Amino acid sequence: MKKILWIVGLVIALCSPAFAKTIVAAADPWPPFVDPANPTDGLSLEIVRAAYKTQGYDVKMVYVPWARAEAGVKDGTYDILPNTWHTDARAKELLYSKAYAVNAVKFIKRKGDTFEYKGLDSLKGKRVGTVRGYGYGDAFLQSTAFSRDEVADVITNVKKLVSERIDLTLEDEIVATSMVAKEDIKLLDQIEFSKEALSSNSLFVTAGLKNPNHKAIIDAFNTGYDTIKSNGTLAGILKKYNLSK
């Protein structure tokens, strides 16, 4: 009898938060969604951690360049990308969660530039700075109307823009404003955003199809997300960032 009770106690202990499984997330800095300067690692990580916590998981965040993070999740080195946009190419190697946010990707131009985005043809002849590995949408990535100049991060593109080495770059307006302000507040006075967005991209958690646990990982997030949405936790997180759902 004592042995049975010991086994039952062990099972209960292993299922308790103290024995929570750990999910490893990887991404590059992308404030305010993924932010190493924020004690909580940013908006995306607050949502992701809250959702997984309801399912008995902890989340460890690893900061690496985006291309390395994406490759690492695809091959199973890391468990999830916490902030992924959808592309057809990615969908062949990643399993997507439910969407938990939306990003409006706008073009960034030098202050006073009269350019306004009116479709891909309006980019004809332009040099557009992009970030290596980012999913801007298949039409944008495949267009031959303009040239794409890849770098490792958004700030490099903004600096190239103000020094007139590229004509435009692009990023979610909230993200870009946050990152530039932290890098050099004076840079914000030298740039402005297009009125029209290239796209509005839903934000997902993804796991690599080569990861044998990919379905369980994404199912856990989806179930946890529904839980924090219904119990008010999600609303509380969004309120901290002056956003609403």
Side-chain angles (χ1 to χ4, degrees):
M1 183 66 179
K2 288 183 178 179
K3 185 175 182 181
I4 293 174
L5 291 174
W6 179 85
I7 292 173
V8 171
L10 178 61
V11 170
I12 293 172
L14 290 173
C15 293
S16 71
F19 287 87
K21 298 177 182 178
T22 298
I23 287 176
V24 180
D28 62 347
W30 199 55
F33 293 92
V34 182
D35 186 0
N38 187 328
T40 68
D41 290 308
L43 172 59
S44 288
L45 269 296
E46 286 202 47
I47 292 173
V48 168
R49 284 196 172 108
Y52 276 118
K53 184 178 180 180
T54 69
Q55 304 304 303
Y57 289 90
D58 289 331
V59 178
K60 176 185 177 182
M61 183 63 208
V62 177
Y63 289 96
V64 295
W66 178 261
R68 189 188 307 173
E70 185 174 357
V73 170
K74 286 178 178 177
D75 68 20
T77 301
Y78 309 116
D79 294 314
I80 62 168
L81 292 165
N83 55 317
T84 320
W85 293 339
H86 182 276
T87 69
D88 291 341
R90 283 177 176 166
K92 294 177 181 178
E93 299 183 79
L94 299 172
L95 180 64
Y96 280 74
S97 71
K98 295 179 178 180
Y100 67 85
V102 177
N103 299 121
V105 179
K106 294 185 177 182
F107 287 91
I108 308 172
K109 55 186 180 178
R110 288 183 289 277
K111 196 83 168 183
D113 188 340
T114 59
F115 169 82
E116 184 52 61
Y117 180 65
K118 297 178 181 178
L120 292 176
D121 287 344
S122 65
L123 300 173
K124 187 174 181 180
K126 300 287 188 182
R127 296 167 298 165
V128 182
T130 60
V131 175
R132 191 170 299 113
Y134 275 25
Y136 298 101
D138 298 310
F140 176 88
L141 292 173
Q142 295 166 10
S143 175
T144 58
F146 57 93
S147 61
R148 286 167 293 276
D149 191 345
E150 282 191 341
V151 297
D153 57 75
V154 174
I155 293 299
T156 298
N157 272 332
V158 173
K159 290 179 177 179
K160 289 177 69 175
L161 177 69
V162 299
S163 63
E164 301 186 12
R165 289 185 286 157
I166 55 176
D167 300 307
L168 300 164
T169 186
L170 66 167
E171 180 56 273
D172 174 78
E173 186 170 3
I174 295 173
V175 172
T177 300
S178 175
M179 293 182 76
V180 172
K182 288 184 178 181
E183 175 70 17
D184 183 354
I185 193 69
K186 294 179 181 178
L187 279 176
L188 281 178
D189 295 329
Q190 301 179 60
I191 62 173
E192 55 187 302
F193 294 85
S194 60
K195 294 179 181 178
E196 297 296 324
L198 169 71
S199 61
S200 291
N201 296 313
S202 293
L203 205 56
F204 305 86
V205 173
T206 53
L209 297 180
K210 291 182 180 179
N211 186 327
N213 299 315
H214 66 273
K215 187 176 186 304
I217 288 170
I218 296 303
D219 284 349
F221 174 80
N222 287 340
T223 301
Y225 180 74
D226 287 343
T227 299
I228 65 171
K229 189 175 181 180
S230 63
N231 68 15
T233 300
L234 178 62
I237 294 171
L238 295 173
K239 186 176 180 180
K240 286 173 58 179
Y241 291 84
N242 297 312
L243 299 172
S244 60
K245 185 71 175 178

